[in-house]
Amino acid sequence: MNKPIHIDSSKLSNNIEKYIKPEVVYIPLENKNGITYKHLVKEGDYIYKGQVIAVNEKINFPIHSSVSGYAVCGSKHIISNGKKIKCVIIENDFKEKYEKKKLVNKEIASYTKDDFIESLRINGITGLGGSDYPTFLKYDSDNIKYLLINAVECEPFICCDKAVIYNYADSILETIDNILEIMKIPKAIIVTKDTNTSSIDSFNKYIGTYPNIQMCLVEDAYPNGWERLVVKNALGIEYNKYPIEKGIVVSNVSTIYAIYEMLKYNRPLTERVITITGPGIKKKTNVKVKIGALASEIIMNLDGYKDIQNPLFIAGGPMMGNSMPTDDVIITKDLNCILVIEDHFEKNLPCIKCGKCIEVCPVDIAPVLIMNNHDNHDNLKNLNPNKCIECGLCSYICPSKIEVREFVRIAKEKVKEE
Ligand code: SF4
Ligand code: SF4
């Protein structure tokens, strides 16, 4: 495995703004991983906040409305992977009306393992670090020895987790402790960067009360927040496919905060904190938003755009994000950053065969060879593009400014389709 590298970037203050009054929300019926949902409501229906409006039938996993209001005719809109997806659209009536049963709460002390896992499922909790993987599937095991909390947030510019920790460290620790108790897990380790002083200080204020929770500090280098490196750095353990093979569950720290709201208030996951930043944004900040709001509406309500040449709108961070043709991108659960930068790169210079993309690739594949063999299916298979974690280091390091990651990503899809 190649060594992670340090990338400089400015981070924002820990203040969290709020924009939770979107005119309309768009709930896509497919996520960025291609998981599809069947809609359960029709045009004209009155929708309560927190109501299940669609479900993935294979794993019985719901999506909820983040507002109350009327469902209107569905159409396609762009999500974080750049694809246009059919949506359930709800016009917000700003009444925040919950269904009556949503007000029922349960004592945390009375939760069993099964109750907890079922609660994660029915409240639609997914990995907020960018995976969008249903959390109940991760915890559905009788043999969890370690709970690792991923608070590394190593991608430049993104700092929503840092803000969540600063504002809610006590609730996060309380929730980790509750999970250990309910799931009978002996130990939790919070993994964060050694340069992240505000998070370290915030946790240190309360962590003494929790003997089974420790902190592990890792170097400020990319991609140290990758699950495999989180596990390796915290425990010195490697695994084949998933951490659970070794009795390990890894949860992003903002996901833990969503679990706090679920346990405390019986709230489904309908809001998240996201970083809105970059030279093209007037008010760079972390902001709490409704899932399903449009990025364009949020940015305009935060003061709008700066006048820059060739603005490039990115859903996600500069390394793993995707450039978008429009700012009308839906905020989905996986989306942790909107970045607006100046597109000043000279593109399409020839490859100089320097091999730097191979040197940095954390999964030890050869991006340049995958690029050069993009139309040779047999060769592609042997080059293992499926191992790519889309970290973007190959594009970042390339002196010819070639979007190498794009070639690998397309190759990955081609190999998967076969
Ligand atoms: S994007 Fe994929 S191919 Fe490129 S460095 Fe990262 S893991 Fe390797
Ligand atoms: S880093 Fe860029 S120029 Fe160097 S081998 Fe890879 S693709 Fe070619």
Side-chain angles (χ1 to χ4, degrees), residues 120-391:
L120 292 172
R121 184 189 69 74
I122 60 176
N123 286 295
I125 308 291
T126 60
L128 295 183
S131 72
D132 207 21
Y133 187 76
T135 305
F136 81 98
L137 295 176
K138 277 193 173 183
Y139 283 83
D140 194 4
S141 164
D142 284 331
N143 187 30
I144 306 174
K145 296 187 197 116
Y146 295 101
L147 171 60
L148 299 190
I149 311 304
N150 189 348
V152 179
E153 204 171 44
C154 59
E155 192 164 355
F157 288 102
I158 307 176
C159 51
C160 48
D161 284 350
K162 183 169 81 79
V164 168
I165 294 167
Y166 181 80
N167 287 281
Y168 308 116
D170 50 345
S171 307
I172 291 167
L173 285 165
E174 185 190 321
T175 306
I176 297 169
D177 193 54
N178 287 332
I179 297 172
L180 295 184
E181 187 69 34
I182 296 166
M183 294 297 296
K184 311 276 178 262
I185 303 172
K187 189 173 174 182
I189 304 174
I190 300 169
V191 186
T192 191
K193 285 179 298 203
D194 53 7
T195 52
N196 195 351
T197 46
S198 79
S199 298
I200 297 167
D201 292 348
S202 304
F203 282 132
N204 272 341
K205 231 191 263 176
Y206 310 100
I207 205 165
T209 328
Y210 301 103
N212 298 324
I213 307 177
Q214 290 177 1
M215 253 201 288
C216 165
L217 304 183
V218 299
E219 191 191 343
D220 183 358
Y222 185 81
N224 266 346
W226 175 32
E227 194 163 85
R228 216 168 260 281
L229 286 178
V230 169
V231 172
K232 195 173 173 200
N233 284 326
L235 297 166
I237 291 175
E238 297 194 23
Y239 54 87
N240 183 22
K241 251 184 149 177
Y242 302 108
I244 197 64
E245 293 157 18
K246 305 280 182 177
I248 302 162
V249 166
V250 185
S251 275
N252 167 269
V253 70
S254 287
T255 309
I256 297 292
Y257 187 68
I259 296 174
Y260 167 80
E261 297 212 316
M262 173 195 93
L263 290 173
K264 192 97 177 169
Y265 306 111
N266 200 20
R267 256 184 218 156
L269 178 47
T270 59
E271 293 175 357
R272 70 157 298 151
V273 179
I274 173 171
T275 303
I276 300 212
T277 188
I281 294 285
K282 272 193 186 157
K283 187 172 186 179
K284 304 176 191 69
T285 187
N286 292 298
V287 55
K288 189 170 209 179
V289 295
K290 297 266 189 195
I291 303 296
L294 288 184
S296 50
E297 185 181 342
I298 297 164
I299 293 169
M300 288 323 287
N301 274 281
L302 283 175
D303 258 7
Y305 295 99
K306 274 190 185 162
D307 196 11
I308 57 168
Q309 289 206 324
N310 304 324
L312 186 62
F313 192 92
I314 297 175
M319 307 299 290
M320 297 192 74
N322 295 306
S323 57
M324 297 282 138
T326 164
D327 58 0
D328 281 338
V329 176
I330 302 169
I331 307 296
T332 41
K333 294 176 188 175
D334 61 286
L335 189 55
N336 52 8
C337 181
I338 293 288
L339 181 63
V340 183
I341 57 170
E342 208 164 333
D343 188 7
H344 59 267
F345 292 121
E346 235 182 307
K347 288 201 173 113
N348 298 324
L349 294 175
C351 169
I352 56 168
K353 301 189 172 58
C354 65
K356 284 188 174 166
C357 54
I358 301 175
E359 279 168 28
V360 292
C361 177
V363 297
D364 296 328
I365 57 176
V368 60
L369 296 183
I370 293 170
M371 178 174 79
N372 292 343
N373 284 279
H374 67 94
D375 51 5
N376 184 328
H377 276 214
D378 289 340
N379 286 358
L380 274 188
K381 252 189 169 171
N382 296 330
L383 290 164
N384 295 320
N386 51 313
K387 283 188 175 175
C388 171
I389 55 163
E390 299 182 25
C391 71

